Amino acid sequence: MPDRATTIETGKNQLNEPLDLVCLGRAGVDFYADQVGSRLEDVGSFAKYIGGSSTNIACCSSRMGLSTALITRVGNEHMGQFIREQLQREGVDTRMVSTDPERLTALVVLGIKDSDTFPLIFYRENCADMAISKDDIDADIVASAKALLITGTHFSTEAIYETSCHALDIARNAGVKTALDIDYRPVLWGLTSKGDGETRFIANDKVTQHLQSILPKFDLVVGTEEEIHIAGGSTDSLQALRNIRQLSDAVLVLKRGPMGATVFDSAIPGSLDDGITVKGVTVEVLNVLGAGDAFVSGFLRGWLNDEGYEQALRYANACGALVVSRHGCTPAMPTKTELDYYLANSANISRPDNDNELNYLHRVTTFHTINKRSYLNTAKTQAEQSQAEQSPAEQSQITRAEANQTPLYIHAFDHRSQLEDMADIAGVDHDRIATLKRHLFAATLRVINDNGLQGHAGLLCDGKFGQDVLNEASGQDLWIARPVEAPGSRPLEFEDGRSIGTILKTWPLEHIVKCLFFYSASDPVDLHTAQDKKIVELYDACCISHHQLLLEIIPPIDENLATGESVYQSVEHILNMGVRPDWWKLPSMERIWAERIDQLVSAQTPYCQGIVVLGLDAPPSQLAESFKAFSGLRTTRGFAVGRTIFGKPAQSWLAGDINDDELIDSVAENYLALIALWQSSISIS
């Protein structure tokens, strides 16, 4: 199968920079039940995430700001490629992620029955990550890191035991800190039936002896009470800790669930509470799976940065608490930005799982991990990763040069009713519109490929006539948006009268949800109320489905206010409702109003991806003035224009006056000319 890894923007750790952390261990794909409360037998659908303890820790540690690499294996198939690409989106160094030519990627199927019951099945029979060999380990990379972390599963068979010990020897000889996440899963040690992945503890002398043989090689050991029991060979937690202490001088971290966590860095005291203890955070538990991995990452952030045990425990407890309230493992992991926000405001956040600001920060700071594309506002992403000490307003102060690093040239041909009218005028069947859109896409690709515009261009296309185009465009590193509104509806209705959740259920995650509102803050109360209800419904649906949202605001024809003033009032009102779109698509207006909207969006939504300027079939000379009005503003990203590019050629083609090649040539010429117009308008403004 083709290797698409090169089309994904790699993380910061792919550039031979010194590493904070190398993780060795499991990498698989988790299929999480969508239906909470259902028996696993009765689940109807699943969400797909990357998973495995080492993978979760590597990704969360990267989100914590640590430069991180993973040593593992994946299969030579779609799931293996998914893991590799997703790791790169997370910023995890994948140079030691090997592709196994014979074995398949591990899979896990999980359910959420209730807050205490999480049925899961590991599909790991002879899987790829259990075949890691010494040849997969780059000694120079491991030796350059601050720490090496290995999870207990990767000592469970002779082959990976030897491989893990080889990695440990490299690290210890280089003075690299070593950490063990005990990660005890009895099923992975062959102690339960293969379908019993839920059981967390079975006492077993052989497992204890096996783990104790490697405990002296670690500087840090982390585990739950059950995991400390298996490593220490006793179900009495204090005795188990004392047994471990006899074998190892490591810092011991005991995870105690809602009670928090405790560090023991010397002799084991007479009570668990006599260790260095930080209490946990109270949240409503949805899913405990992955919380322990998040805990480890939070602790590593503090430990590797020499911030002290108490601060490391605060990071760790908060990370775990945030994850247990969310669906999935890796996608639930907090970013440094949201974790720091929570810790700075914890006195005022009694329920972090219900806090709107935290949920918003998680959404906007993890978009690049869902579908990282080069068109994303990389300057703001970097601010999130490396400038957390700045306020959101300070992070948004991007220079004009930075804001225009990735200008977007969007060919918008999501039109439906307008093209139906054009087809009617030409006297041809509406079926011709689908063919027309394929030609418009061909012209778009020609301009992009011939002019090196990959990552700087894309399309707006609909599913009614352009589904074939959308299918082909997906996965090509293009900016893609598609409409959900019923054409011309006011108050807004969604396409074909369907619910927005039904519409988004089948969309690829990389498709941005575009919705056009004929909207004015001065609309009559009943109309305004109906419109606002739809906006909130749409925003909530996008938050749940993990799609980005683009709102297109066009004042109604009978609007009494100037366009800019009307749009400003609309944007202000929408933001004040708590709706924070990821993109805006706005019409031509006077410079003063463009500046005010820029200031408003920058101040209230510093993670907004930006504004694209629409065309409304305006001639190029008029568009030039519109482009100048928005040029150089922090939030301006480019244009999304349609009929100015394709209108006249499309009408001629539908009428039979020009052939396919002439249509494509003419549209490509118009598209390229508009790009040149944008560039010249920006340069002289």
Side-chain angles (χ1 to χ4, degrees):
M1 58 182 297
D3 183 356
R4 285 183 50 233
T6 56
T7 70
I8 304 297
E9 184 179 339
T10 57
K12 61 181 180 180
N13 306 328
Q14 301 285 128
L15 305 177
N16 296 318
E17 297 177 0
L19 292 168
D20 294 311
L21 177 68
V22 175
C23 299
L24 186 154
R26 290 194 280 132
V29 176
D30 291 347
F31 289 94
Y32 259 85
D34 286 323
Q35 291 77 41
V36 175
S38 177
R39 300 189 313 155
L40 193 53
E41 296 90 328
D42 300 327
V43 169
S45 60
F46 296 86
K48 176 174 70 74
Y49 309 128
I50 61 172
S53 54
S54 299
T55 297
N56 293 335
I57 293 170
C59 292
C60 189
S61 297
S62 179
R63 292 185 181 189
M64 288 292 101
L66 299 177
S67 56
T68 306
L70 180 64
I71 303 171
T72 194
R73 278 196 183 193
V74 296
N76 187 27
E77 19 76 356
H78 301 84
M79 295 299 101
Q81 187 65 12
F82 164 60
I83 292 173
R84 185 183 301 278
E85 292 182 7
Q86 194 66 22
L87 287 169
Q88 291 171 346
R89 294 183 186 113
E90 293 279 358
V92 175
D93 188 319
T94 58
R95 286 175 290 172
M96 292 183 288
V97 176
S98 302
T99 299
D100 193 301
E102 299 176 356
R103 298 169 181 83
L104 293 174
T105 302
L107 305 177
V108 183
V109 176
L110 311 96
I112 304 175
K113 185 67 179 71
D114 54 49
S115 61
D116 299 311
T117 310
F118 306 96
L120 70 159
I121 305 170
F122 289 95
Y123 292 85
R124 296 181 52 82
E125 194 76 27
N126 194 31
C127 66
D129 70 44
M130 292 294 282
I132 302 172
S133 75
K134 296 177 182 178
D135 292 337
D136 297 327
I137 300 172
D138 187 318
D140 291 337
I141 296 177
V142 174
S144 73
K146 289 183 181 179
L148 169 71
L149 178 137
I150 305 179
T151 55
T153 301
H154 271 69
F155 294 97
S156 63
T157 70
E158 189 61 31
I160 55 172
Y161 176 87
E162 292 181 0
T163 298
S164 297
C165 287
H166 175 66
L168 276 172
D169 290 341
I170 293 170
R172 291 175 65 81
N173 290 335
V176 174
K177 293 180 179 180
T178 53
L180 172 68
D181 176 13
I182 299 172
D183 183 39
Y184 181 45
R185 297 284 188 169
V187 68
L188 302 182
W189 291 80
L191 302 180
T192 69
S193 64
K194 292 184 178 180
D196 182 14
E198 187 175 7
T199 296
R200 291 301 187 101
F201 180 76
I202 294 176
N204 185 275
D205 290 341
K206 289 185 177 180
V207 174
T208 296
Q209 293 170 7
H210 202 56
L211 289 174
Q212 289 185 351
S213 72
I214 52 97
L215 285 175
K217 298 184 178 183
F218 288 97
D219 302 305
L220 174 70
V221 176
V222 183
T224 62
E225 289 201 56
E226 292 90 348
E227 289 168 342
I228 292 296
H229 293 168
I230 192 66
S234 173
T235 54
D236 179 278
S237 296
L238 279 171
Q239 186 58 50
L241 287 164
R242 292 188 181 110
N243 293 344
I244 294 173
R245 177 59 73 224
Q246 290 179 352
L247 299 167
S248 172
D249 294 328
V251 175
L252 306 180
V253 182
L254 177 64
K255 296 183 285 186
R256 303 171 67 186
M259 297 176 64
T262 303
V263 166
F264 304 94
D265 65 347
S266 56
I268 305 303
S271 168
L272 295 180
D273 294 331
D274 290 337
I276 302 170
T277 300
V278 173
K279 293 183 179 180
V281 179
T282 301
V283 294
E284 182 174 344
V285 175
L286 170 66
N287 164 38
V288 300
L289 303 174
D293 301 328
F295 176 98
V296 172
S297 295
F299 189 86
L300 288 171
R301 172 186 169 184
W303 188 58
L304 293 178
N305 289 325
D306 297 321
E307 296 184 64
Y309 294 134
E310 291 188 354
Q311 183 65 10
L313 288 173
R314 279 192 285 271
Y315 290 148
N317 286 336
C319 279
L322 291 172
V323 169
V324 298
S325 65
R326 295 169 176 167
H327 197 263
C329 293
T330 293
M333 303 293 176
T335 62
K336 187 174 185 287
T337 295
E338 61 177 304
L339 182 68
D340 289 350
Y341 173 85
Y342 169 67
L343 290 174
N345 297 277
S346 57
N348 301 317
I349 302 176
S350 59
R351 286 284 301 275
D353 46 319
N354 287 339
D355 187 80
N356 288 334
E357 187 65 21
L358 269 178
N359 290 332
Y360 169 72
L361 286 174
H362 182 72
R363 178 174 183 266
V364 296
T365 59
T366 59
F367 261 135
H368 65 285
T369 69
I370 296 172
N371 188 57
K372 188 173 184 179
R373 298 293 184 187
S374 55
Y375 60 76
L376 291 180
N377 195 325
T378 54
K380 290 175 185 175
T381 299
Q382 291 166 0
E384 176 264 311
Q385 291 175 338
S386 62
Q387 299 177 14
E389 70 277 6
Q390 295 182 348
S391 69
E394 289 172 326
Q395 290 182 21
S396 71
Q397 302 305 307
I398 300 170
T399 66
R400 171 178 167 177
E402 289 171 328
N404 291 321
Q405 281 179 349
T406 53
L408 291 172
Y409 312 124
I410 308 305
H411 186 189
F413 49 92
D414 57 319
H415 307 70
R416 288 148 289 165
S417 59
Q418 296 98 325
L419 288 176
E420 289 172 338
D421 291 342
M422 291 172 64
D424 291 341
I425 292 172
V428 298
D429 194 273
H430 290 181
D431 290 345
R432 291 278 286 165
I433 299 174
T435 303
L436 171 64
K437 297 212 171 192
R438 287 195 292 272
H439 293 324
L440 297 181
F441 181 53
T444 304
L445 284 183
R446 177 190 294 180
V447 171
I448 293 172
N449 294 332
D450 289 354
N451 295 276
L453 296 177
Q454 291 82 2
H456 295 270
L459 62 144
L460 251 166
C461 186
D462 62 291
K464 181 177 182 179
F465 296 114
Q467 189 61 53
D468 288 345
V469 169
L470 292 169
N471 294 344
E472 184 180 350
S474 299
Q476 292 199 47
D477 202 21
L478 296 169
W479 188 98
I480 303 171
R482 54 194 290 189
V484 292
E485 77 278 356
S489 59
R490 184 171 181 249
L492 174 78
E493 293 293 335
F494 297 120
E495 196 169 31
D496 298 328
R498 294 183 291 164
S499 70
I500 186 61
T502 302
I503 293 173
L504 298 185
K505 184 175 178 61
T506 60
W507 282 24
L509 289 176
E510 67 185 279
H511 291 189
I512 297 167
V513 178
K514 169 259 177 181
C515 190
L516 165 59
F517 280 88
F518 294 103
Y519 190 84
S520 171
S522 60
D523 281 336
V525 173
D526 57 343
L527 176 58
H528 207 277
T529 300
Q531 295 270 68
D532 287 352
K533 182 179 179 181
K534 285 294 186 180
I535 291 175
V536 172
E537 180 184 345
L538 174 63
Y539 180 66
D540 289 346
C542 289
C543 290
I544 292 171
S545 69
H546 305 296
H547 289 90
Q548 291 192 342
L549 173 62
L550 180 154
L551 284 188
E552 179 177 0
I553 304 296
I554 298 180
I557 297 175
D558 57 356
E559 174 64 80
N560 294 323
L561 298 175
T563 297
E565 184 176 3
S566 176
V567 172
Y568 176 86
Q569 290 184 4
S570 296
V571 171
E572 183 178 45
H573 176 74
I574 290 168
L575 292 176
N576 288 340
M577 286 196 300
V579 174
R580 294 184 266 194
D582 308 289
W583 301 86
W584 296 92
K585 185 168 181 259
L586 303 180
S588 174
M589 62 185 68
E590 293 181 353
R591 173 74 179 187
I592 187 173
W593 290 108
E595 290 175 342
R596 291 191 63 183
I597 291 173
D598 171 69
Q599 293 166 2
L600 176 67
V601 171
S602 296
Q604 294 200 26
T605 56
Y607 292 95
C608 177
Q609 292 297 318
I611 294 170
V612 290
V613 184
L614 59 85
L616 288 178
D617 201 18
S621 59
Q622 185 175 330
L623 280 180
E625 294 304 312
S626 179
F627 292 168
K628 291 177 185 177
F630 281 92
S631 67
L633 301 179
R634 290 184 294 271
T635 56
T636 299
R637 295 300 303 280
F639 65 76
V641 173
R643 284 172 292 172
T644 305
I645 297 172
F646 71 76
K648 291 181 180 178
Q651 187 68 70
S652 297
W653 180 83
L654 288 168
D657 296 332
I658 59 175
N659 61 30
D660 296 350
D661 290 338
E662 290 171 323
L663 168 67
I664 294 171
D665 290 343
S666 182
V667 171
E669 181 180 346
N670 291 346
Y671 184 27
L672 193 57
L674 198 63
I675 292 172
L677 183 66
W678 173 271
Q679 293 171 341
S680 63
S681 299
I682 293 294
S683 66
I684 64 175
S685 61

